[in-house]
Amino acid sequence: MGLEEKLPAGILLTSVEKLAGYARKSSVWPATFGLACCAIELMATGGPRHDLARFGMERASNTPRQADLMIVAGRVSQKMAPVLRQIYDQMSEPKWVISMGVCASSGGMFNNYAIVQGVDHIVPVDIYLPGCPPRPEMLIDAIVKLHDKIQNMKLGVNREKEITELEEARLRRLPLLPHLREGVQ
């Protein structure tokens, strides 16, 4: 990312982590990717009643190079999937993704060949937002949770260690179905 990645761990890095986390959290610019009815709720979040501007996110980016948060609102078709991935790849690091609505998260009621069954097949998702369509209050809650995640993100070697620990913990997680837990299928 930058100079902060090269700093050694210690007291100075902790202060830099807190300052960088606060700055990143306070300057998230979304690249809205509204594809269906969830996009109307996304637009309502920017209106005067819910006021997305109080989080410093009033500027919806017209170009992915200036955005660091992608909000995928609605169902993603197979034809739109490569475009979504291209926009995600053009975003600068660090970048985050919110999957807004049940259609973006899992395909929703559209279980057919034309709809991607979850945007996580195309881009890594940080926060899943349920609902059909989710209310603007739910999107604001997801954004607040993402801000907390951004603010507490580690830097430098601590970040690499944190990512490794999270990946190992995810691999150790047991399946939810009891017959798979015992190893019998």
Side-chain angles (χ1 to χ4, degrees), residues 33 64-65 70 80-92 95 122-123:
F33 206 82
R65 294 180 200 334
M70 177 183 278
M80 189 56 74
V83 176
L84 179 90
R85 183 62 200 202
Q86 182 181 13
I87 290 174
Y88 177 80
D89 289 339
Q90 290 176 353
M91 291 170 58
S92 60
K95 51 190 167 188
I122 303 161
V123 294

Side-chain angles (χ1 to χ4, degrees), residues 7 9 16 23 38 54 74 90 99 111 146 160 166 168 171 178-179:
L7 293 173
V16 170
C38 290
R54 61 189 154 150
Q90 290 176 353
S99 175
N111 189 10
L146 182 67
E160 293 170 7
L166 288 172
E168 289 173 359
L171 291 173
H179 68 278

